[in-house]
Every structure is written in C-alpha cells, then in structure tokens.
C-alpha cells in the first residue's frame, strides 16, 4: 500500500508542477489535478470551492468540478460581469450551512464516511445529498498563508465508505496542489496589474509616455506596411498653473481627470490618448489624414471649451491649445513630437484656445 501511495503522490506532484495557462477560468488550470485525484481515489466526483472573501466569508463558490466538461465552465454559469465573473457559479451560503462552514473554517479535514449521518455534512440532507445520490464525502481545506481559502470536496455515490488515513492524506495533497495553482493564478493577475500600471497614468487613467513609445513603434510599422497616414494631436491646457495657484492642486487634479474623460468621449476606440506629463497630452490617430486630424482637434477644442468642471460647489471652464501634425513614418517619432510641440507653441502665441496645423 505504501508503494502504491508513493506512486500516486509522485504522479500528482508531477502533474501539479507542469506549466499551465492560468489566464483563463479556474476549471482550465485545476482540471488536471482534480481529474487525477478522482482517478486515484476511485470516486465519482471532485470539486473545488473557494470562499468569496478569505477574511469574512459569506459563501463558498464552486469554481471547478470533474462533472463539468473537461476544463470548461458550463455555459449557464458564464457571465460578462467583470466585477464578479463568478456571479453565476454554484455557491453555498454560510447562513444556510453554518455547521459545515465552521468545520471548514477550522482547517480540519472532514471525512464523512456516511454523509447523511455525519454532523459536519448532515445539513446537506434533502438539499444536495439525496438529489445527487451522494452518500460519502471527504473534504480537505485549501490554505493561503495558513488561512482557509476554500475546500476540495471528494464525493462518492456508492454507499458508505471508510476513508482511510492514507486517503485523507492524499486528498490533502490534492488541496495543496490546488493551492499552488491558485497562487500562480494570483501572481499572474498581479503581474497584469503591474503591467497595466507601468503603462498607465495614475491620475487620469490614460496611457503614459512609456506606452506611447511602444504604441507608436507598432503603429508606424503597420502604417508603413499598408501605406496609410498616421497623425498626432498635441494638447496643452491653457493657464493651468493659474488654476493650481488659485484653487490648489486637488482642483487641478479634478480638472485633468474631467478633461481626459471629455477627450475620450470624442476620440475613437482605436485612437491613443496619452498624458505626456503635467497638463500636456498627445492623441495618436491611426489611419487619419492631416485634414481629418485637424477636424478631430477642432472637435476636441470645442468640447473642452464647453466643458464645465464640477468640484463640489465650484464650477470652472477651461480651454486648451492644439497642435496637429502628420507623423513622419520614415523618421524617429521624436521628430513628429517636436513638430506637434511647435504647433502648440504657435497656438499659444496666437492667443490660445485654437488649433494650429503644421
């Protein structure tokens, strides 16, 4: 038996160490682990459930299940809700199963040989066990930093089963393997956030200069290949220093944010609006000729002039100066930046609140 256990655990360890794509849904990167566990334990189903909030759990959410199509989320669970992508996944509420939740929260494995009689699982009688033919359960806790994060639930439909210490230990290893995969998922999500922050202006949410250079490099290459025109519009808010001096930087920050939102409403999805720094911005307009870019700049100018900045009882109106140029595809992008910057300078000298095309 010891040799058999060693063989099974080594196989599980190898599977859990394999590199997987954690960018997708939970079933896609937990499927191999729970299916291996199902096969090794000779049971009918294994499912993974996670607390909605590790510190103050209200419910357990079923995120992976061997009864589901291999590595997939059933279509009726899927949602496009970015704030709560697990909104339609099966779940158990703490208030409905307080005894079970307390047992899981303690971190101790539940070996319910007879699920209908065991005090930790009898709350499921009539609701889950009988309708699904479940007669025995072995639930082991998934930990994160020593705190219960969820549970791996092993279920049998073949009558009462005496779970051995060896089987409990193996099921706990399944939970540990899931824990490692979930940690990899969390690290990946953190990397995506850091990557986003690296290319995003923290105040306005717009792309920053670093992103701009990467974006324009790709766009210049693409426009050279297809022979289309790329244009740029530089924007500089008029008398912004006066606003900061008179009302304070908090109001200045509000102005920058509301100005950015105003511009985004005018620009297309494929356009790239970046904050270069301070009150200076640049919009890169793919597949746009110079005359059309000038028209866009005028629309932006009018929208900004009509914008009423609201902050508490304060109401402000602002203007901006615009410089428009066609991007020189055969030259470094810095040359086009200089052209646009010179155009803005000319707009300032012409009295501000206007568009200059070069």
């Amino acid at each position: 038996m010891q040799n058999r256990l060693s063989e099974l655990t080594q196989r599980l360890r190898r599977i859990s160490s394999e590199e997987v794509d954690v960018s997708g849904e939970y079933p896609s990167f937990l499927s191999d682990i729970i299916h291996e566990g199902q096969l090794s334990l000779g049971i009918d189903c294994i499912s993974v459930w996670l607390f909605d909030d590790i510190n103050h759990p209200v419910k357990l959410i079923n995120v992976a299940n061997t009864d589901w199509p291999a590595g997939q989320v059933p279509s009726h669970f899927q949602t496009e809700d970015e704030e709560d992508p697990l909104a339609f996944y099966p779940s158990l509420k703490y208030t409905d199963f307080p005894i079970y939740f307390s047992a899981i929260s303690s971190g101790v494995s539940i070996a319910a040989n007879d699920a209908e009689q065991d005090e930790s699982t009898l709350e499921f009688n009539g609701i889950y066990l009988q309708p699904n033919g479940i007669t025995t359960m072995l639930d082991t806790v998934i930990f994160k930093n020593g705190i219960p994060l969820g549970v791996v639930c092993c279920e049998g439909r073949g009558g009462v089963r005496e779970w051995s210490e060896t089987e409990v230990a193996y099921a706990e290893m399944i939970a540990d393997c899931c824990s490692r995969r979930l940690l990899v998922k969390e690290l990946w999500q953190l990397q995506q956030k850091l990557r986003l922050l690296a290319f995003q202006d923290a105040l306005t949410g717009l792309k920053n200069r670093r992103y701009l250079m990467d974006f324009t490099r790709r766009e210049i290459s693409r426009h050279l290949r297809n022979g289309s025109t790329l244009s740029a519009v530089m924007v500089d808010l008029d008398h912004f220093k006066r606003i900061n001096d008179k009302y304070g930087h908090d109001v200045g920050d509000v102005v920058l944010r509301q100005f950015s939102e105003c511009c985004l409403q005018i620009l297309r999805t494929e356009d790239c609006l970046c904050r270069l720094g301070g009150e200076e911005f640049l919009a890169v307009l793919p597949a746009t000729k110079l005359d059309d870019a000038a028209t866009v700049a005028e629309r932006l100018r009018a929208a900004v002039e009509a914008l009423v900045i609201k902050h508490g009882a304060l109401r402000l109106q602002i203007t901006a100066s615009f410089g428009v140029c066609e991007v020189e595809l055969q030259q470094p992008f810095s040359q086009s930046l200089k052209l646009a910057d010179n155009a803005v300078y000319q707009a300032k000298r012409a009295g501000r609140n206007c568009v200059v095309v070069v």
Side-chain angles (χ1 to χ4, degrees), residues 135-154:
T135 55
T136 184
M137 297 174 66
L138 171 57
D139 291 9
T140 54
V141 178
I142 300 171
F143 291 99
K144 176 186 177 184
N145 297 327
I147 302 174
L149 174 65
V151 61
V152 171
C153 182
C154 305

Side-chain angles (χ1 to χ4, degrees), residues 12-28:
L12 181 63
R13 289 174 62 199
R14 282 196 299 272
I15 289 174
S16 67
S17 70
E18 292 176 355
E19 185 175 349
V20 294
D21 180 6
V22 294
S23 63
E25 303 284 355
Y26 290 97
S28 65

Side-chain angles (χ1 to χ4, degrees), residues 3-163:
N3 290 338
R4 174 62 174 163
L5 176 62
S6 178
E7 176 187 337
L8 294 177
T9 56
Q10 289 299 325
R11 193 166 67 190
L12 181 63
R13 289 174 62 199
R14 282 196 299 272
I15 289 174
S16 67
S17 70
E18 292 176 355
E19 185 175 349
V20 294
D21 180 6
V22 294
S23 63
E25 303 284 355
Y26 290 97
S28 65
F29 62 87
L30 294 176
S31 179
D32 57 344
I33 294 175
I34 59 177
H35 276 89
E36 174 65 22
Q38 179 189 25
L39 178 65
S40 298
L41 287 173
I43 54 178
D44 295 286
C45 175
I46 293 185
S47 54
V48 179
W49 301 70
L50 300 178
F51 285 125
D52 59 328
D53 186 325
I54 189 171
N55 296 311
H56 304 286
V58 173
K59 59 183 178 180
L60 274 168
I61 304 170
N62 185 193
V63 299
N65 198 312
T66 54
D67 281 347
W68 298 350
Q72 298 179 17
V73 182
S75 58
H76 55 286
F77 297 157
Q78 295 177 8
T79 173
E80 296 181 358
D81 186 347
E82 294 183 359
E83 294 186 2
D84 188 6
L86 303 180
F88 296 119
Y89 280 52
S91 63
L92 302 175
K93 291 184 179 180
Y94 194 114
T95 51
D96 292 337
F97 307 97
I99 297 174
Y100 178 77
F101 267 79
S102 296
I104 292 301
S105 298
S106 71
V108 178
S109 297
I110 299 173
N113 300 325
D114 185 344
E116 294 183 15
Q117 300 299 322
D118 192 284
E119 62 179 14
S120 296
T121 56
L122 56 81
E123 291 171 313
F124 296 113
N125 280 338
I127 300 174
Y128 178 74
L129 298 179
Q130 290 85 356
N132 293 283
I134 305 300
T135 55
T136 184
M137 297 174 66
L138 171 57
D139 291 9
T140 54
V141 178
I142 300 171
F143 291 99
K144 176 186 177 184
N145 297 327
I147 302 174
L149 174 65
V151 61
V152 171
C153 182
C154 305
E155 300 173 342
R157 300 186 176 99
V160 174
R161 174 170 175 168
E162 289 287 335
W163 297 103

Side-chain angles (χ1 to χ4, degrees), residues 209 212-213 216 220 231-235 276 280-282 284 322-328 331-347 356-358:
R209 182 183 287 268
L212 172 68
M213 295 305 152
T216 52
I220 287 174
S231 295
V233 177
M234 187 172 286
V235 191
L276 297 179
E280 193 173 41
F281 299 79
L282 185 81
V284 180
F322 296 78
V324 184
C325 74
E326 181 179 316
V327 175
E328 294 286 347
Q331 299 292 328
F333 183 65
S334 58
Q335 298 298 317
S336 298
L337 276 178
K338 289 180 181 178
L339 282 175
D341 191 49
N342 287 335
V344 168
Y345 180 70
Q346 294 177 43
V356 170
V357 182
V358 296

Side-chain angles (χ1 to χ4, degrees), residues 117 187 237 258:
Q117 300 299 322
L187 291 174
L237 297 185
Q258 294 191 20

Side-chain angles (χ1 to χ4, degrees), residues 217-228 286-287:
R217 185 171 56 252
R218 295 195 310 268
E219 286 301 304
I220 287 174
S221 176
R222 184 170 71 88
H223 284 67
L224 279 171
R225 290 195 307 271
N226 61 29
S228 57

